[in-house]
Amino acid sequence: MKKITKAVIPIGGFGTRLLPITKAIPKEMLPIVDKPVIQYIVEELSLSGIEEVYFIISEDRDPLINYFSRNKRLEEKLILNNKNKSYQEIVNISSIINIHFILDKEQNGSATAINLAKEYLLNEEAFLIVLADDLIRSEVPASLQLIKLYEQYKTPIIGVHKVPITDVNKYGIIKPTSNDKVEDIIEKPSLDEAPSRLASLGRYIVTNDYFKYIKDLKRGVNNEYQLTDVLKLMLRDTTFKYYEIKGQYYDIGTREGHINAIVDYAIESDKVDNDKLNINT
Ligand code: G1P
């Protein structure tokens, strides 16, 4: 079995729920304490054994490209001023994982955005899809939890978590079977339509069959080509498992999720700093 080493991240959305700030700053670049959201995602992927990441971006995503590019002038200045820790931190951003940017000129939805990485993923047995506004704080990185399961069962997997019934219309909701398989998935169902409270939370492992279904895809919610609808088509021929990811989930696309993440990550990094102090005294 070939290891999963590649991930694709569609980053084209307008971040309408966090306007006006997202008019100028992509939501993936919003700060959680002193790092942008996307940095946490990339760290998760690196810790999960991912080697290549394909970001599908729109034309206005310069801050993202700048963030992951080397800045020689800044690096030289840090070295000159003996700021070695900061220097290492800055260099690590761009060296932690191989990042590739693919431009999505059309922006017709997550499904077609992912399809733009086809030529890089077609030879992979399976790959990871990550939605970058879903942060998961966990002991075992969320993507690694899914990868381990894939290695065990060799079936595609949808990472899920339970949401309050009133929130089902914000997510892709699965219809589970009694043996952890997925029978159906519906993008943003109404309360009446929702087959469960298990929502996909932006971590998926799919096989390269994904690309076969794009031609049959119709526009869905918001008149966009939805990733959920590709999974729905794949489910006709493919067994999918679902897995309740262990960890604390934050939907960064909402004000509440963003604030909660800032508070929890701040407390955690303070704790790490205090632990270091205690060791040193
Ligand atoms: C997207 C997906 C949805 C998934 C959600 C997780 O929705 O379309 O299926 O459950 O991410 O956050 P969005 O957040 O773009 O509305």
Side-chain angles (χ1 to χ4, degrees), residues 17 131 133-134 170-172 187-188 200-202 204 226 228 249 251:
R17 283 178 291 175
L131 303 182
D133 52 359
D134 294 307
K170 297 180 185 152
Y171 299 97
E187 181 67 11
K188 303 192 170 65
S200 66
L201 77 173
Y204 314 79
Q226 296 284 347
T228 298
Y249 166 68
D251 185 350

Side-chain angles (χ1 to χ4, degrees), residues 190-249:
S190 66
L191 258 65
D192 299 336
E193 281 172 321
S196 76
R197 287 168 46 205
L198 294 173
S200 66
L201 77 173
R203 303 292 183 278
Y204 314 79
I205 289 180
V206 298
T207 52
N208 59 14
D209 287 342
Y210 176 94
F211 302 106
K212 288 188 201 153
Y213 293 87
I214 295 293
K215 62 177 186 340
D216 295 332
L217 197 62
K218 307 234 162 17
R219 286 180 187 266
V221 171
N222 294 338
N223 203 28
E224 288 178 359
Y225 292 105
Q226 296 284 347
L227 164 61
T228 298
D229 293 336
V230 183
L231 304 178
K232 200 182 183 66
L233 290 176
M234 289 184 82
L235 277 167
R236 290 184 193 160
D237 315 305
T238 315
T239 303
F240 270 76
K241 271 192 162 303
Y242 72 90
Y243 176 70
E244 278 192 66
I245 291 188
K246 295 189 175 52
Q248 181 63 44
Y249 166 68

Side-chain angles (χ1 to χ4, degrees), residues 34 62 76 88 129 143 151 159 179 181 189 196 201 208 213 242 247 257:
D34 51 3
D62 310 4
E76 278 163 22
Q88 208 46 59
I129 298 173
S143 297
E151 286 169 356
N179 53 355
K181 301 215 169 91
S196 76
L201 77 173
N208 59 14
Y213 293 87
Y242 72 90

